[in-house]
Amino acid sequence: MPSFPRPGAVTICEINRDLITANELSDDAAKETYGKVLGILFSPVLFQSENLLTALSSEQGANQRNSGLLSAALQAVSTGSLRHLFRPIDVKLLQDVDFHILDWHQHKHILAFISGPHQVTVRDYEDSEGESPCILINESQKDVRSLSWRPNGGRALAVACKGGICIWAASYPGNTALVRSGVTLGTLSRGSGTKWILIDFLVSPEYEQHTTLSWSPNGKYLASASFVSSSFIIWDVAQGMGTPIRRGLGGISLLRWSPSGDYFFSAKFDGTFYLWETNTWTSEPWSSTNGFVMGAAWDPDGSRIVVAFSESLTLGSIHFATRPPSLDAHLIPVELPEIQSLTGSRGIDKIAWDASGERLALSYRDGDDLYRGLIAIYDVRRSPLISASLVGFIRGPGDDVKPIAFSFHDKFKQGPLLSVCWSSGFCCTYPLIFRSHVLP
């Protein structure tokens, strides 16, 4: 039977398909469950949830749309061009998209998440002197929408915002961050001597609101896009240069680079999505009859990608038939019958797949009173086809809470590590322990 947390309880961790709960959120409960196994505690990070919800609401986008249409009309009249009048803008759909607003560093126990309209919170669990999180703020960083740690780039963080992308880096004894010429310096100190510095600002060609990011696995290139544009940009970060690539007309909802780097996935609000091979940047268009793609996650070897659609309770798994650079692929449904039969939900909200491919986290819209606001955890099998078995549900701290965002740590050695920002103002981390060599 799937583990179900009773109302009023809070989830602490998973141990061998059993999701452990406690009466309240505390470090003592964590010590008694996973702490003695892992040798580390992941204390919750407090934040003002109202600030995060404001940052993710569509009100800012709606205001931008109204002013954008007016300025576009004036520009069309003055320049004789009507191109700006037909820019695809899908503001009302923004709240349904799984923007990457929470991210773990690949090789460090450092968590970053958007905690307000213009700010990012960083919590370093390896810093014994820095138990308080650090807040990243800069005058260039406005209307933050998504973020992503740079692979193989030390402690560098990309933040998508209005007009472009902020690149932050940690500067500490033995590792001095270099700032690109012309960038307004922003430094935030920590008790341990670590400083977070804004080292670069990648300016969008049309100063658009960037909403989605994805790094190439080697960390050399960064893909970004805006919901108001049909093009995405591939940035050579070292050079500070971006190359726009366009397919179709709809505004872009999300981008995902495969772990192998051979493939790239882009999706639009009009229901179309594209599979790319990154050698020649050739693409194959696909379309959906179940709404637009609102979430996507690659499997560990990059041979398939799981996608969630805005009007479906079934996931889709896109399997590549042959090796790269072939774009021959098949879309196969991944059934999740419990989401409808147990929860009474009307649709999937967000998904996250851990880098080992063994655990899938999923939130859903609405649902019955008992199941509303929970996160479903699935045990995933990938051979020969992807199948998912429900382990149970995670309940966050507080009354009538819901998950705002969640993400897995990609390289946590002891198993999947899931962090969740809850509407109650807690960012909680849940170790999912099920390997025999980890347990005593």
Side-chain angles (χ1 to χ4, degrees):
M1 289 289 293
S3 296
F4 175 76
R6 60 176 176 77
V10 292
T11 304
I12 303 298
C13 66
E14 174 199 346
I15 296 182
N16 280 340
R17 293 184 65 95
D18 185 16
L19 288 164
I20 309 299
T21 62
N23 291 328
E24 60 182 4
L25 202 62
S26 69
D27 284 349
D28 289 339
K31 288 178 184 177
E32 290 301 315
T33 51
Y34 71 81
K36 57 187 178 183
V37 177
L38 301 182
I40 186 173
L41 294 181
F42 297 99
S43 301
V45 181
L46 300 179
F47 66 98
Q48 295 294 324
S49 59
E50 297 83 1
N51 292 342
L52 178 53
L53 291 170
T54 298
L56 300 179
S57 72
S58 59
E59 294 179 4
Q60 295 182 58
N63 293 333
Q64 180 181 0
R65 177 175 67 170
N66 293 335
S67 61
L69 287 176
L70 176 59
S71 62
L74 293 174
Q75 183 170 358
V77 172
S78 62
T79 63
S81 170
L82 295 180
R83 178 175 66 88
H84 291 274
L85 288 177
F86 294 97
R87 173 181 293 171
I89 301 175
D90 302 90
V91 174
K92 65 181 180 179
L93 302 178
L94 284 180
Q95 58 188 347
D96 296 329
V97 180
D98 185 13
F99 293 133
H100 201 66
I101 70 168
L102 181 151
D103 197 32
W104 277 97
H105 189 283
Q106 280 195 332
H107 304 291
K108 304 289 184 181
H109 297 157
I110 307 176
L111 179 68
F113 62 93
I114 298 172
S115 53
H118 315 301
Q119 69 183 39
V120 171
T121 294
V122 177
R123 173 68 164 92
D124 186 350
Y125 286 97
E126 297 178 351
D127 187 353
S128 59
E129 298 182 30
E131 293 185 1
S132 298
C134 187
I135 308 298
L136 307 186
I137 301 174
N138 188 272
E139 61 183 18
S140 299
Q141 186 171 277
K142 302 297 183 184
D143 298 337
V144 177
R145 286 289 185 174
S146 63
L147 51 77
S148 183
W149 290 101
R150 185 178 187 177
N152 305 315
R155 302 181 188 182
L157 180 70
V159 180
C161 52
K162 185 176 182 180
I165 304 163
C166 290
I167 306 292
W168 293 85
S171 184
Y172 47 90
N175 185 79
T176 302
L178 300 178
V179 181
R180 184 183 295 278
S181 176
V183 175
T184 301
L185 184 65
T187 303
L188 295 161
S189 301
R190 298 195 60 172
S192 63
T194 299
K195 298 179 180 179
W196 290 94
I197 298 176
L198 181 66
I199 60 171
D200 204 353
F201 185 77
L202 304 176
V203 181
S204 171
E206 297 188 22
Y207 207 72
E208 296 165 331
Q209 169 73 61
H210 280 246
T211 47
T212 182
L213 299 172
S214 184
W215 286 99
S216 63
N218 61 11
K220 181 178 181 180
Y221 300 107
L222 175 64
S224 70
S226 169
F227 71 93
V228 299
S229 175
S230 57
S231 302
F232 60 87
I233 300 174
I234 302 296
W235 299 89
D236 183 330
V237 178
Q239 302 298 322
M241 301 294 293
T243 302
I245 299 177
R246 176 177 175 175
R247 290 292 187 276
L249 297 175
I252 294 175
S253 58
L254 57 82
L255 305 172
R256 297 288 187 271
W257 217 305
S258 74
S260 65
D262 297 310
Y263 291 118
F264 184 80
F265 179 87
S266 65
K268 294 174 174 286
F269 285 104
D270 61 9
T272 60
F273 54 96
Y274 293 80
L275 298 176
W276 301 77
E277 56 87 7
T278 58
N279 185 32
T280 63
W281 285 99
T282 300
S283 66
E284 188 71 27
W286 292 62
S287 61
S288 166
T289 58
N290 294 313
F292 64 93
V293 175
M294 54 191 297
W298 288 94
D299 80 340
D301 61 12
S303 64
R304 64 195 106 182
I305 183 170
V306 168
V307 293
F309 299 98
S310 59
E311 299 174 11
S312 176
L313 284 164
T314 300
L315 297 176
S317 174
I318 301 174
H319 292 239
F320 287 93
T322 55
R323 307 182 111 188
S326 172
L327 290 171
D328 292 336
H330 307 284
L331 179 60
I332 301 171
V334 180
E335 301 292 343
L336 305 171
E338 300 90 352
I339 292 299
Q340 188 167 24
S341 63
L342 282 180
T343 71
S345 168
R346 64 181 180 87
I348 295 170
D349 185 26
K350 296 176 177 64
I351 63 169
W353 196 5
D354 98 281
S356 73
E358 297 176 271
R359 285 294 183 268
L360 177 77
L362 180 149
S363 61
Y364 43 88
R365 297 195 293 274
D366 297 330
D368 298 337
D369 289 343
L370 278 178
Y371 289 90
R372 186 175 293 124
L374 306 183
I375 293 178
I377 301 296
Y378 283 88
D379 179 12
V380 179
R381 295 291 179 263
R382 298 182 292 127
S383 180
L385 300 177
I386 291 179
S387 61
S389 169
L390 181 63
V391 174
F393 297 88
I394 289 178
R395 186 185 298 277
D399 298 326
D400 298 322
V401 297
K402 65 177 182 178
I404 303 174
F406 49 89
S407 180
F408 281 103
H409 192 315
D410 282 343
K411 299 289 176 65
F412 189 65
K413 296 179 180 179
Q414 290 94 334
L417 191 68
L418 179 69
S419 290
V420 184
C421 287
W422 297 97
S423 60
S424 53
F426 291 88
C427 186
C428 301
T429 297
Y430 305 95
L432 307 181
I433 307 170
F434 51 85
R435 294 188 180 92
S436 58
H437 69 271
V438 174
L439 294 171

